[in-house]
Amino acid sequence: QRATLRSVRTQAAEAPPMATEWFQKTISLPPYKRGCHVITRKVYDALPELSQYEVGLANIFIMHTSASLTINENASPDVPLDLNDALDRIAPEGNMYRHSDEGPDDMPAHVKSSLMGPSLTLPISGGRFALGTWQGIYLNEHRNYGGGRTLTVTIQGTKRSDGRSYPPPGAR
């Protein structure tokens, strides 16, 4: 086994260096009603630079404390509804919270946001997110009137060596 490991290390050391590049962009999303919303297409449309990357990682971060991001099924329209209903059962509105200055939906929104999380790290492969067949990016709006939301996307990866871009998702 040692010979095999040395062989792999030697091959990796002899491979030509691949330039890793960083890219960052802010994406503004329109207001969404309270609930869970598949936003994969909106992220792709706002991020044409993604198509230049052969391989890498993308971190998508929502810059708010009462909304969150997650990956979940994108095929059935019932999944976002059921997900939102489950979150409402976990963190219901009510007078049990001390923090109520911004309305009865505010503190439950903070709880839901903490449970779901503010960021996603997604692999990039061939100019697109390496998501499973039925996976989509969700914006979870936990406020009744949350307003527009802002995402910061940071990409670290290697661009195509020929300088071209991959076709956008859906065009393949």
Side-chain angles (χ1 to χ4, degrees):
Q1 288 180 341
R2 277 192 175 166
T4 303
L5 290 175
R6 282 190 190 130
S7 173
V8 170
R9 286 186 190 135
T10 303
Q11 289 173 358
E14 293 171 2
M18 297 174 64
T20 299
E21 296 191 29
W22 288 85
F23 173 80
Q24 190 169 74
K25 185 174 192 175
T26 300
I27 298 173
S28 296
L29 296 174
Y32 283 87
K33 66 180 185 175
R34 183 174 172 169
C36 301
H37 309 276
V38 180
I39 61 164
T40 313
R41 173 57 44 205
K42 287 196 181 299
V43 173
Y44 275 131
D45 289 348
L47 199 60
E49 300 85 356
L50 182 66
S51 66
Q52 301 169 9
Y53 287 85
E54 178 79 33
V55 65
L57 290 172
N59 179 271
I60 306 172
F61 178 80
I62 189 162
M63 300 175 70
H64 304 275
T65 60
S66 57
S68 62
L69 299 171
T70 194
I71 300 290
N72 218 305
E73 181 181 321
N74 64 2
S76 170
D78 290 334
V79 172
L81 299 172
D82 288 341
L83 185 58
N84 188 64
D85 291 347
L87 289 169
D88 284 344
R89 286 190 297 275
I90 292 168
E93 290 184 24
N95 61 3
M96 69 283 273
Y97 304 104
R98 287 178 285 279
H99 175 72
S100 60
D101 300 348
E102 297 176 55
D105 66 333
D106 188 49
M107 191 59 219
H110 292 314
V111 172
K112 294 170 190 177
S113 176
S114 291
L115 291 172
M116 301 299 283
S119 67
L120 303 170
T121 300
L122 303 175
I124 298 168
S125 180
R128 63 188 305 164
F129 301 122
L131 294 169
T133 302
W134 309 113
Q135 289 182 316
I137 301 168
Y138 277 54
L139 165 70
N140 307 301
E141 177 54 69
H142 305 303
R143 296 292 311 266
N144 292 327
Y145 304 102
R149 299 299 189 177
T150 303
L151 305 177
T152 297
V153 180
T154 305
I155 296 174
Q156 179 188 19
T158 304
K159 290 185 176 180
R160 285 181 59 152
S161 59
D162 61 9
R164 297 172 56 205
S165 293
Y166 290 94
R172 297 181 186 175

